[in-house]
Amino acid sequence: QVQLVESGGGLVQAGGSLRLTCAASGRTSSIHAVGWFRQAPGKVREFIAAITWRGGSTYYADSVKGRFTISRDNAKNTVYLQMNSLKPEDTAVYYCAVQEVGGGKYNYWGRGTQVTVST
């Protein structure tokens, strides 16, 4: 199994920045990709960004492209989400999740970290 812990959330003004961290532990050798998702109150969870563990290929939702950057540090088993030019509509609980090698779904999830963007 893989355990995930998110951190770095908080309250920021519109236009500000935050960097979220996702620390992975356990069977990290099974990781194919790590993704970030978010869920706002009353809304469905949405995909934000993902990065492949070995090759470092990145993918972004259109809503965050150009503002958010996903990166990884394999030596630290950590994935980051740099969020710039934050908007009030970015307010949500942010989760990281792992897609295993050979698997199609994100099987492991962290507990999330709250991001609140004020006007």
Side-chain angles (χ1 to χ4, degrees):
Q1 289 193 348
V2 179
Q3 293 80 41
L4 302 170
V5 178
E6 303 96 336
S7 61
L11 173 65
V12 64
Q13 287 188 329
S17 299
L18 282 174
R19 188 177 79 158
L20 304 184
T21 298
C22 174
S25 60
R27 202 174 66 180
T28 57
S29 60
S30 71
I31 297 174
H32 167 63
V34 177
W36 283 98
F37 297 76
R38 68 185 181 189
Q39 187 166 20
K43 295 188 177 181
V44 298
R45 185 171 60 197
E46 64 171 331
F47 167 81
I48 296 300
I51 188 166
T52 58
W53 196 245
R54 290 177 174 77
S57 297
T58 58
Y59 308 87
Y60 295 95
D62 288 343
S63 58
V64 304
K65 201 171 291 184
R67 299 190 299 124
F68 291 11
T69 303
I70 190 170
S71 62
R72 79 202 193 292
D73 184 335
N74 292 62
K76 295 182 179 180
N77 290 330
T78 300
V79 172
Y80 304 98
L81 185 68
Q82 178 66 44
M83 306 187 296
N84 299 328
S85 302
L86 283 161
K87 306 174 182 180
E89 51 264 43
D90 293 318
T91 295
V93 178
Y94 284 69
Y95 300 89
C96 64
V98 157
Q99 185 184 57
E100 291 186 289
V101 173
K105 296 182 180 180
Y106 284 89
N107 288 328
Y108 300 104
W109 294 80
R111 293 186 175 184
T113 185
Q114 175 71 46
V115 171
T116 303
V117 184
S118 64
T119 55

